[in-house]
Amino acid sequence: MKESNPNDFLIEVQPLGGFDKPLSYSISKDLRHEIKVGSLVKIPLGARKLLGIVWSLKGNKPNETTQIRNIISLIHKVPVLSPDLTNLASWIANYYACSIESCLEAMIPKAVRDGMQPKKRRLVRLADSSKDYSQLTKRAPAQFSAIEFLRSQKEPVPSSTVLSKIKTSQNTIRSLVKKGIILESEENIDRVVYEDEYLDANEQIVHNLQLTSEQKKAVSEINEDLESRQFKTRLLCGVTGSGKTEVYFEAMQMALNQGGTILFLVPEVALAPQTVSRIRSRFKNEKIVVWHSHLASGERADAWRSIINEESKIVVGARSAIFAPLPKLRLLIVDEEHEAAYKQEDNPRYHARDIAVVRAKLNDATCLLGSATPSLESALNVQKEKYQTSKLSKRVDNRELPLIHLVDMRREADKTKVLPILSQQLVEALRDRISNKEQSILFLNRRGFNTTMLCPECGHVESCKDCSIALTYHRTDGYLRCHLCGYRKPAPNRCKKCNSFDLKKKGHGTQRIEDIVIGLLPKHASVRRVDADMMTKKNLFRETLSDFRKGKIDVLVGTQMIAKGLDFPKVTLVGVIDADLPLRMEDFRASERAFQMLVQVSGRAGRGNRAGEVFIQTYAPHSPSIQFARKSDLKGFTEDEMDMRKEFGYPPYQHLIRHLFRSRSESKVEYYANEWAKILENKNIAGLKIKGPAPAPLEKIKGYYRFHFFYFTASVKKTIKNLGLIRSEFPLDPDVHDILDVDAQQIG
Ligand code: ADP
Ligand code: ZN
Ligand code: ZN
């Protein structure tokens, strides 16, 4: 072991790989000013050499602690993490009950963790361009041509260029370098991540808009937040088409003026092509990094480097971009903050919106959350005055919100005795649009996990009294089950409410709807479908949206993924085929999701000069979320839904932690879930409400059987700590695994 010097300086390093705690190391005096919190270093650990992140700087090393080892080397001059990110990693590990290592894996791209260097190219130039080399003409004609070519160049050129121009080999260059006639240098090449792959040539982006008075007010409120240089969170609550993006831009300009950097989060980059191109065209002089899942590892490493080197001041991306190591972070924007897509469903299971708030706090920065349909979590934070709020209540140019029709599908069912897919009204409206050369969108919902029971006569849904969620039907045993508390009862033959016999359930894919629509419309109408499968084919998806914008498609059929933030001015009709599906889902957020979906979807209609019309097909026209959505009554919906959440102690009043057990063995997973339940009962943890065990809605995934518990608590950190202690004394069978999901969004 290397003997360390008493003058050495003590630091803590978090190893990458295999150790979940920072360890002490020392550094020699000469590295003292080069090593910073967040630096990537190489360390000895046992017999291994590992990379690690400098976690903290401790001070001079006391003489007696001689067993502390020196680091091996400093890998990057510039820290790979900004100091706030090391704090954030610790925070996430504590709150989400995950390892620091999993946080660092999420934070630092693999290419960087592997110590990857930028791609370089060799440049060559003439050492002395005034010298005459004509004596080489005969002896070494290739060398002479190379020299003459370089003489004609003003700047150093890549050696590959020389080779291709004079058709010679590396040897020529090598011998000239040896002789000192030409000089070599190296240059990093950026694998281009700034190029605008999204900008659509046909897209017109208007600059220098005259802000509306509401926009001006919001901008000045946000400017005050920024000027205070204190941690602030503001919810920008603006109806669809109210011009939230312009407000973001003004705030971004202000943050840039302050010398700060900006993080702009969107739920899914592929769904925000317009936002990305608008940001690019508005901030033309900025190198903007678009951080998304399709980046190749080299591109990712380069993007990363341009961020830590402070070349890029604006990063746009989906949830994982929340970890972009921007120094001097002044502003974090979370667009469509209500989107469940911000929750990471793998370790670390963080919520990017909540992390944005924490990160703003660590930087004394401003966090701006925007939505037309804010999450109840954010709404409650506004009530508690943890967040400030700004409102945009009108569409720009006073464009009207679309006219919303509810189509009562129970009546449609009467006529034919089979559940129809499209109502007569919607079909007529579609035909109308075709003859007027206007565009339409038809929305279809994601199906629930299982079959729930809906009465087509009266719209009644069988639900659990204790949990207020829809019960699901299990074909195997004919029982209805609650997936929160485990309650079950035999499925009824008749509707409990109206006594009808006909409790049937049906779902339809986008493909089916597309076929039906094609059959109902004149031949010349162009109908296209976008669905989840298409998302994997990035270009196909983009081309379809672009064709739609150009008017090449009359009717677009898709799931609610096309509802997010897209702006198609020529759309005058939106049809929602099955508004009830989210309501029937076995999730206490079903109403919230249904309301958000309906408002967002309706927001796609009438964004141009022509007014829009929306048809919502439903079997439950009386249900509150549908009624509130029809009136675009956000306040009414929020109050109503908050009451329910409060009564049942659901989020946002309490945090929800989901505890999932899984195993290939059904009997083992059930046994251990029940054993765990007994232990919890004995321990009787104060302030913790427990539901379960119950089979998860998706009882079996990829051969794994799944059971879960739901914990409701006011304090996540306390609960995680308590559960951790109890859990450490509860040995699980090696075939059974468990996962904690803090602030769980998905309960399938
Ligand atoms: P939101 O995100 O609130 O739904 P957008 O920011 O997409 O709305 O704005 C909707 C449309 O209104 C965009 O085409 C935008 O260019 C335009 N717009 C925004 N602000 C103004 C304004 N002050 N005057 C005129 N048009 C505006
Ligand atoms: Zn009924
Ligand atoms: Zn229940």
Side-chain angles (χ1 to χ4, degrees):
M1 194 184 292
K2 209 161 130 192
E3 198 48 39
S4 38
N5 182 321
N7 291 328
D8 282 357
F9 192 77
L10 211 56
I11 61 173
E12 278 192 318
V13 178
Q14 170 64 49
L16 293 176
F19 214 86
D20 204 38
K21 212 177 89 186
L23 302 172
S24 292
Y25 285 90
S26 57
I27 51 172
S28 58
K29 235 180 166 174
D30 46 320
L31 275 181
R32 171 81 177 75
H33 296 287
E34 290 201 46
I35 286 198
K36 302 185 181 79
V37 171
S39 291
L40 186 65
V41 294
K42 195 178 265 180
I43 48 167
L45 186 66
R48 292 185 297 163
K49 289 174 185 167
L50 289 181
L51 292 178
I53 303 290
V54 176
W55 218 242
S56 63
L57 307 175
K58 285 284 186 215
N60 286 331
K61 198 181 88 178
N63 286 336
E64 62 273 22
T65 49
T66 45
Q67 63 278 59
I68 286 175
R69 297 167 84 177
N70 260 322
I71 68 160
I72 297 166
S73 59
L74 170 64
I75 307 257
H76 278 290
K77 282 233 166 66
V78 187
V80 298
L81 288 185
S82 41
D84 65 324
L85 285 178
T86 59
N87 291 329
L88 190 65
S90 305
W91 190 93
I92 291 174
N94 267 324
Y95 186 88
Y96 291 103
C98 61
S99 65
I100 286 189
E101 192 171 353
S102 69
C103 299
L104 292 178
E105 264 166 31
M107 287 180 167
I108 311 171
K110 183 154 187 330
V112 177
R113 270 185 279 132
D114 291 346
M116 182 170 152
Q117 295 301 316
K119 201 167 165 195
K120 293 204 161 119
R121 61 178 177 184
R122 277 198 306 154
L123 299 179
V124 290
R125 68 191 146 91
L126 220 46
D128 182 354
S129 53
S130 60
K131 238 181 186 163
D132 181 27
Y133 294 102
S134 46
Q135 82 280 9
L136 288 174
T137 1
K138 287 222 178 83
R139 202 160 25 95
Q143 290 187 9
F144 182 71
S145 322
I147 292 169
E148 289 311 303
F149 173 73
L150 287 176
R151 202 193 294 282
S152 69
Q153 303 297 310
K154 286 195 196 81
E155 308 243 311
V157 291
S159 56
S160 57
T161 311
V162 183
L163 298 186
S164 65
K165 283 281 182 224
I166 61 163
K167 311 253 167 351
T168 181
S169 71
Q170 270 294 350
N171 280 338
T172 312
I173 307 238
R174 229 172 273 146
S175 46
L176 284 170
V177 171
K178 235 187 207 157
K179 290 184 204 164
I181 296 173
I182 67 176
L183 299 177
E184 273 187 311
S185 56
E186 269 188 337
E187 181 191 62
N188 292 351
I189 350 180
D190 270 337
R191 278 145 290 209
V192 185
V193 283
Y194 313 113
E195 217 165 62
D196 202 338
E197 54 167 325
Y198 293 102
L199 195 56
D200 185 332
N202 282 2
E203 189 148 7
Q204 285 169 8
I205 292 165
V206 192
H207 289 287
N208 305 323
L209 292 167
Q210 184 65 36
L211 294 186
T212 65
S213 57
E214 282 189 326
Q215 282 173 320
K216 277 186 198 151
K217 181 157 181 281
V219 168
S220 82
E221 285 163 345
I222 298 161
N223 283 352
E224 268 176 42
D225 294 345
L226 284 164
E227 268 161 10
S228 77
R229 292 197 174 253
Q230 283 170 4
F231 163 54
K232 297 273 156 114
T233 305
R234 182 173 292 275
L235 178 67
L236 177 62
C237 185
V239 298
T240 54
S242 60
K244 291 185 285 294
T245 316
E246 288 303 318
V247 175
Y248 299 151
F249 287 173
E250 296 296 318
M252 289 164 77
Q253 189 58 59
M254 172 85 179
L256 287 176
N257 295 347
Q258 289 187 330
T261 60
I262 297 141
L263 194 53
F264 193 123
L265 296 186
V266 292
E268 157 69 69
V269 175
L271 291 173
Q274 287 165 305
T275 310
V276 172
S277 49
R278 275 162 79 182
I279 296 174
R280 285 224 159 107
S281 97
R282 171 71 177 254
F283 298 97
K284 278 220 172 61
N285 299 328
E286 297 295 330
K287 246 180 166 185
I288 293 165
V289 165
V290 179
W291 191 263
H292 56 80
S293 55
H294 299 295
L295 286 181
S297 78
E299 291 172 332
R300 202 174 287 279
D302 289 344
W304 186 263
R305 209 167 290 111
S306 78
I307 297 168
I308 61 177
N309 292 338
E310 301 186 32
E311 287 163 31
S312 306
K313 298 197 194 82
I314 302 176
V315 175
V316 187
R319 62 171 180 261
S320 65
I322 186 59
F323 299 130
L326 284 162
K328 304 184 187 140
L329 199 49
R330 293 290 310 125
L331 177 65
L332 299 96
I333 295 170
V334 184
D335 193 24
E336 310 290 353
E337 65 88 30
H338 62 278
E339 279 290 339
Y342 283 120
K343 183 72 171 19
Q344 164 83 13
E345 297 296 346
D346 277 320
N347 241 341
R349 295 179 153 73
Y350 62 88
H351 196 302
R353 174 200 60 217
D354 299 343
I355 295 301
V357 175
V358 176
R359 221 184 147 186
K361 186 167 186 189
L362 290 170
N363 286 285
D364 295 323
T366 295
C367 185
L368 186 56
L369 312 175
S371 177
T373 52
S375 62
L376 293 181
E377 281 78 3
S378 295
L380 187 64
N381 280 323
V382 168
Q383 274 180 31
K384 288 182 180 164
E385 298 182 357
K386 281 190 180 171
Y387 299 174
Q388 305 304 304
T389 183
S390 296
K391 286 209 171 64
L392 304 176
S393 60
K394 294 192 218 65
R395 284 187 155 184
V396 291
D397 291 347
N398 291 319
R399 280 172 215 155
E400 304 246 330
L401 281 167
L403 189 61
I404 300 180
H405 309 277
L406 292 184
V407 184
D408 190 340
M409 295 303 275
R410 297 173 300 180
R411 294 216 196 105
E412 297 280 325
D414 278 351
K415 291 177 204 154
T416 53
K417 286 290 163 206
V418 285
L419 294 180
I421 296 169
L422 293 182
S423 61
Q424 207 48 44
Q425 293 180 57
L426 182 52
V427 173
E428 270 156 31
L430 274 170
R431 288 184 178 142
D432 244 32
R433 294 317 187 279
I434 299 290
S435 44
N436 290 340
K437 300 199 163 39
E438 295 174 6
Q439 290 181 305
S440 312
I441 306 182
L442 290 180
F443 284 101
L444 193 70
N445 268 300
R446 185 170 69 92
R447 300 258 293 122
F449 306 116
N450 294 291
T451 313
T452 50
M453 292 230 143
L454 169 102
C455 171
E457 299 281 327
C458 74
H460 173 71
V461 178
E462 281 290 307
S463 58
C464 173
K465 276 196 214 57
D466 289 335
C467 306
S468 171
I469 60 167
L471 295 170
T472 60
Y473 177 65
H474 288 244
R475 220 174 288 278
T476 42
D477 57 7
Y479 272 72
L480 287 175
R481 274 203 182 78
C482 171
H483 285 293
L484 268 180
C485 70
Y487 166 80
R488 54 172 220 160
K489 66 172 186 187
N493 294 324
R494 292 163 176 269
C495 172
K496 245 171 53 186
K497 210 166 158 198
C498 75
N499 231 14
S500 155
F501 273 107
D502 195 17
L503 287 179
K504 53 183 136 186
K505 264 300 44 338
K506 251 194 200 150
H508 308 285
T510 45
Q511 171 101 54
R512 178 91 203 284
I513 307 283
E514 184 188 20
D515 293 344
I516 292 171
V517 174
I518 289 173
L520 288 169
L521 295 182
K523 287 237 153 36
H524 64 85
S526 146
V527 181
R528 287 271 282 283
R529 158 174 67 93
V530 283
D531 55 28
D533 300 341
M534 229 168 161
M535 292 293 296
T536 53
K537 299 172 200 127
K538 200 171 45 146
N539 288 324
L540 184 62
F541 178 67
R542 239 175 24 226
E543 277 161 25
T544 306
L545 291 186
S546 160
D547 283 352
F548 189 56
R549 194 165 301 127
K550 287 175 196 155
K552 292 186 192 165
I553 300 169
D554 300 309
V555 183
L556 194 65
V557 180
T559 50
Q560 67 259 41
M561 70 181 202
I562 53 173
K564 294 170 193 164
L566 296 171
D567 189 358
F568 302 111
K570 277 174 258 161
V571 172
T572 59
L573 172 67
V574 162
V576 181
I577 290 171
D578 46 4
D580 312 318
L581 259 179
L583 287 175
R584 275 185 267 141
M585 295 223 316
E586 48 280 61
D587 184 343
F588 63 86
R589 288 195 176 89
S591 302
E592 184 181 6
R593 302 240 200 279
F595 176 80
Q596 288 167 346
M597 186 277 291
L598 291 173
V599 172
Q600 295 285 350
V601 162
S602 308
R604 297 313 116 205
R607 289 172 80 95
N609 297 324
R610 280 169 281 196
E613 232 182 345
V614 178
F615 287 82
I616 298 176
Q617 301 192 155
T618 170
Y619 287 96
H622 46 81
S623 73
S625 46
I626 288 178
Q627 284 296 332
F628 286 123
R630 187 175 69 90
K631 292 177 276 182
S632 297
D633 183 359
L634 176 66
K635 189 162 171 278
F637 171 76
T638 306
E639 283 171 7
D640 188 69
E641 185 66 10
M642 285 285 198
D643 285 347
M644 185 280 270
R645 302 285 182 92
K646 198 169 193 172
E647 185 186 334
F648 287 89
Y650 287 154
Y653 289 97
Q654 305 237 49
H655 290 274
L656 163 64
I657 303 172
R658 182 196 194 203
H659 193 177
L660 183 74
F661 287 74
R662 44 179 227 133
S663 173
R664 286 191 184 278
S665 154
E666 190 176 8
S667 52
K668 279 186 186 174
V669 74
E670 190 167 1
Y671 172 80
Y672 279 95
N674 285 323
E675 287 302 298
W676 177 247
K678 285 181 206 157
I679 292 180
L680 286 181
E681 202 171 338
N682 283 336
K683 297 279 176 182
N684 195 12
I685 306 173
L688 190 66
K689 186 169 134 200
I690 300 165
K691 286 199 179 222
L698 298 164
E699 269 175 68
K700 192 180 178 191
I701 299 182
K702 292 180 186 154
Y704 284 90
Y705 292 89
R706 307 157 83 243
F707 269 75
H708 60 189
F709 290 83
F710 287 81
Y711 309 134
F712 296 92
T713 174
S715 166
V716 169
K717 285 192 179 170
K718 230 188 250 166
T719 301
I720 289 296
K721 207 172 148 202
N722 283 332
L723 287 174
L725 289 175
I726 305 172
R727 174 68 183 76
S728 64
E729 289 164 11
F730 177 70
L732 274 183
D733 186 283
D735 293 340
V736 183
H737 300 274
D738 66 333
I739 297 160
L740 285 175
D741 186 0
V742 176
D743 294 332
Q745 285 282 329
Q746 255 190 35
I747 60 164

